Amino acid sequence: MNRYYIKASMELHEWKKKMRKKPSIINKASKGVQNKINSMLPQKYHEIVTAAIKNMVKVVLTGSEYMSKKPDVLMPFEERERLVREKINFYKKTAMLEGAGTGAGGILLGLADFPLLLSIKIKFLYDVASIYGFDVRDYKERLYILKIFQLAFSSQTSVNKVFNEMENWEEYSKLLPSSLELFNWREFQQEYRDYIDIAKLLQLVPGIGAVVGAYANSKLMDKLGVTAMNAYRMRIL
């Protein structure tokens, strides 16, 4: 076993401990604060967000828009991770430019940020899956991508539930819904919204929207990158 493999295994072990961590009192109390924030956001925002997430889920589950090239099953593990880190940096820069651009445009362009950022994140996850050697043409692999998304952008209570499903993926995948219509996208979109609404609310504020948009999108991509790497390490290592 080489040194890099050991290092990655140790990082995975520490990440797993965070995923299993039980919700703190602050975590539980934050839901009320989030509900207050939701009531402050314009109705148009809620409509755009809901539609964007619902459409994104449908595209991921049924479409080919995000399909990556056929995975290389013979690539060494360390080389895979080097390519994944390159993808993280590329998509992080893309997300920052997108966030700064839409944030500088005020409320109207700020509203457009949500579906654009979703598209960037999902394309990133498709690329990562392919690099790690998983074929996203497989319906179950596309569902795994959605689970990674949930794991990165959910409350700790939801993280515990989703992580348990992913940690036992081989068994859990046998119980996946036979119909795409049975996927619980409503729960999916609400958890994601609650996770990022504070940042997106500030992004709509004139004068600071561009800075907030670039910073928020950068941090969101960092979180997604770490989550994706360890989610696939969990299946490979």
Side-chain angles (χ1 to χ4, degrees):
M1 186 179 296
N2 65 38
R3 185 176 300 176
Y4 184 84
Y5 193 96
I6 295 173
K7 176 178 178 292
S9 297
M10 292 174 64
E11 290 176 356
L12 174 61
H13 177 71
E14 291 302 314
W15 177 79
K16 282 184 174 182
K17 289 198 296 185
K18 292 179 182 179
M19 296 302 101
R20 296 189 186 107
K21 187 178 179 181
K22 297 303 178 184
S24 66
I25 296 176
I26 294 177
N27 291 147
K28 295 177 180 178
S30 65
K31 190 64 178 177
V33 175
Q34 190 60 54
N35 290 337
K36 181 66 175 178
I37 292 172
N38 282 335
S39 68
M40 296 167 58
L41 292 165
Q43 182 59 32
K44 188 66 175 176
Y45 173 83
H46 291 291
E47 293 173 1
I48 289 175
V49 168
T50 300
I53 294 180
K54 183 176 182 179
N55 290 333
M56 186 232 11
V57 171
K58 287 185 175 180
V59 167
V60 171
L61 294 178
T62 64
S64 59
E65 179 180 343
Y66 296 102
M67 293 300 181
S68 303
K69 63 182 181 180
K70 191 174 181 179
D72 181 353
V73 296
L74 300 178
M75 187 186 301
F77 177 70
E78 186 171 353
E79 176 65 11
R80 293 185 195 278
E81 298 234 311
R82 184 188 67 78
L83 292 176
V84 168
R85 288 190 173 90
E86 287 182 0
K87 289 292 183 182
I88 292 173
N89 289 332
F90 172 78
Y91 281 100
K92 181 178 176 180
K93 291 175 183 176
T94 302
M96 288 176 67
L97 289 172
E98 184 275 323
T102 53
I107 292 178
L108 292 179
L109 278 180
L111 291 174
D113 170 73
F114 203 98
L116 289 173
L117 184 58
L118 272 177
S119 181
I120 291 170
K121 288 174 179 175
I122 293 301
K123 184 61 174 71
F124 163 73
L125 289 176
Y126 266 73
D127 285 354
V128 170
S130 181
I131 291 172
Y132 276 115
F134 295 94
D135 192 345
V136 293
R137 291 172 296 181
D138 183 337
Y139 160 62
K140 291 182 179 180
E141 292 304 332
R142 300 202 296 276
L143 277 177
Y144 194 76
I145 283 175
L146 292 182
K147 290 296 180 181
I148 294 174
F149 200 94
Q150 283 184 291
L151 200 62
F153 307 120
S154 295
S155 64
Q156 190 61 38
T157 299
S158 183
V159 164
N160 293 157
K161 172 178 173 288
V162 173
F163 177 73
N164 183 61
E165 295 168 351
M166 296 174 71
E167 192 174 23
N168 302 285
W169 184 251
E170 294 307 316
E171 290 300 315
Y172 177 77
S173 62
K174 297 175 183 177
L175 306 175
L176 290 172
S178 57
S179 171
L180 301 180
E181 296 301 320
L182 296 177
F183 182 80
N184 191 351
W185 66 265
R186 191 176 299 276
E187 176 186 343
F188 177 93
Q189 63 97 3
Q190 189 60 57
E191 284 288 341
Y192 180 54
R193 288 178 58 182
D194 287 354
Y195 188 91
I196 72 169
D197 271 348
I198 295 178
K200 293 306 161 188
L201 177 63
L202 292 175
Q203 191 171 332
L204 301 180
V205 178
I208 66 170
V211 175
V212 171
Y215 179 79
N217 285 4
S218 170
K219 291 301 179 183
L220 291 171
M221 282 304 305
D222 276 338
K223 179 71 180 296
L224 186 60
V226 170
T227 304
M229 287 187 74
N230 284 292
Y232 283 111
R233 283 172 171 176
M234 189 159 58
R235 294 176 68 186
I236 294 173
L237 302 184

